[in-house]
Amino acid sequence: MCHAEQMSELSSSKVDSFGDYSLSGRAVRLISSADTSLDEEQLMLASVAVRMAASSRGKVRSLVSLSRRLSTNKPGSTAGDYPPPAEAPASPPNSEPAAAPQRRPKKDPSGCSVLLFPGQGSQFVGMGRGLLKYPNVKEMFTVAQKILGYDLLSLCLEGPEDELQKTVHCQPAVFVTSLAAVERLNQENPKAIEMCVAAAGFSVGEFAALVFSGAMNFAEALYAVKVRAETMQKASELVPSGMLSVIGRPQAQYNYACLQAKEHCKSLGMENSVCSVANYLFPDGRVIAGHQQALDFLQENSRRLKFMRTKTLPVSGAFHTELMASATEPLREVLRQVEVRRPEISVYSNVDGKRYMNESHVRRQLVKQLVSPVKWEQTLHEIYERTQGQHFPHTYEVGPGRQLGATLQKCNRKAYQTYAHVEVTAYED
């Protein structure tokens, strides 16, 4: 089935909302007709997105707008409605001051929460099995099947593992499973959702964080993730490349090691070789990515480079380096067409560890992220920095795996004391 047909079928779907989860009333633009048959070239996917928005104006359906509001539109809720209210008008001269009650009271950090969304590499066969009994989760996977063109739920639950591990499959799988885990958290601890003040996602997890924050719609974000995964997969196949997890001694110099690796590649006749830090995980924890010959050099010379441990990651390419440059334009084109709003809570960008400021900032940074290192350690410092004696928020890792909890423990032990993981596997009743 071509992509236009998938989106057309979705537009006629009977899935109109996810219960209390689609509270924003935001609509998803879905393609209703297309007279163009598409090949599998990734640039054409961007063209689909362009036509998708253009051909569906006026045929809008209220499908899904996953956001932190969930079922928190109750009296006293701090979530608020999007867009933010306009500035209050000035009070009449003889009236009581009215501005003060509209200001949000400062929250006690110990009563607030932060949600962390994992990225590629956290996936495993069986994830999602423990989430199907929660509201809206089955509908999420139904919508995903229509957008992706294959049975994502079956792939998550039953594999085969080698198919789930492929970039083109695991990115959508982690994205949907993570937002399904939010449904579980909302069911079991709604206060954690209502009192959430910040979110961050690792690599593709950033899309889930943005959906949760109300900045993007579920269906449109998933389509963007689909394009992202397919173009990254294709970029990975252009040259032999990969990623290497490194734990170094305090005296290790990662950038200098990468420079030496590139010099080695040059001695082999390779011009313009790539080798750079792709992930800043925690103090002395890095992921280095680039051409395979450069990574081989680093492993062979690990002792001399002051690396205590190196491990090749099971990924298809050198993500978050310039070797992903061919994936940027298709993603940029898709993001130009989907609706992006200012996040309702603080969402932190992988590119610099800083909060997103507006919708154009979101679009720019998501594209830049493909060829920039994930500054996760810096992001955690930004989220959890506080004065001595100030309480830390509760942190929930929503999605498969506990890798983000492990990095938090290494970056900030005090913040880790209030960390919890939302399980995505089954519990036998």
Side-chain angles (χ1 to χ4, degrees), residues 63-172:
L63 182 72
V64 184
S65 180
L66 296 175
S67 77
R68 67 182 290 262
R69 280 160 296 193
L70 301 172
S71 54
T72 60
N73 280 7
K74 304 173 186 140
S77 169
T78 59
D81 290 330
Y82 190 90
E87 206 171 278
S91 302
N94 299 323
S95 67
E96 292 291 324
Q102 294 185 5
R103 302 180 75 176
R104 289 186 183 180
K106 284 191 174 182
K107 298 177 183 177
D108 175 8
S110 63
C112 297
S113 61
V114 173
L115 265 59
L116 303 180
F117 293 84
Q120 182 172 347
S122 61
Q123 70 279 352
F124 59 89
V125 174
M127 67 180 190
R129 193 176 304 279
L131 304 175
L132 296 177
K133 65 181 180 181
Y134 295 98
N136 312 319
V137 172
K138 289 182 179 178
E139 290 89 339
M140 292 168 69
F141 279 101
T142 298
V143 171
Q145 181 171 354
K146 294 179 181 298
I147 292 174
L148 300 172
Y150 58 86
D151 189 346
L152 181 67
L153 179 58
S154 175
L155 186 61
C156 289
L157 298 183
E158 301 171 8
E161 184 174 358
D162 60 339
E163 286 296 313
L164 182 60
Q165 297 298 333
K166 290 180 179 178
T167 296
V168 69
H169 295 142
C170 69
Q171 289 191 19

Side-chain angles (χ1 to χ4, degrees), residues 235-301:
S236 300
E237 294 167 356
L238 296 178
V239 294
S241 59
M243 305 183 79
L244 185 70
S245 175
V246 176
I247 297 179
R249 300 186 185 280
Q251 59 269 44
Q253 297 181 333
Y254 303 97
N255 291 332
Y256 180 63
C258 292
L259 182 61
Q260 286 187 290
K262 289 194 284 187
E263 287 296 324
H264 167 72
C265 289
K266 193 172 183 179
S267 72
L268 300 177
M270 292 177 59
E271 296 293 334
N272 303 317
S273 60
V274 173
C275 183
S276 59
V277 175
N279 302 161
Y280 293 86
L281 300 177
F282 50 84
D284 300 319
R286 304 284 189 274
V287 172
I288 296 175
H291 284 100
Q292 191 59 51
Q293 295 91 330
L295 301 184
D296 292 341
F297 172 86
L298 294 178
Q299 285 191 292
E300 292 164 5
N301 294 273

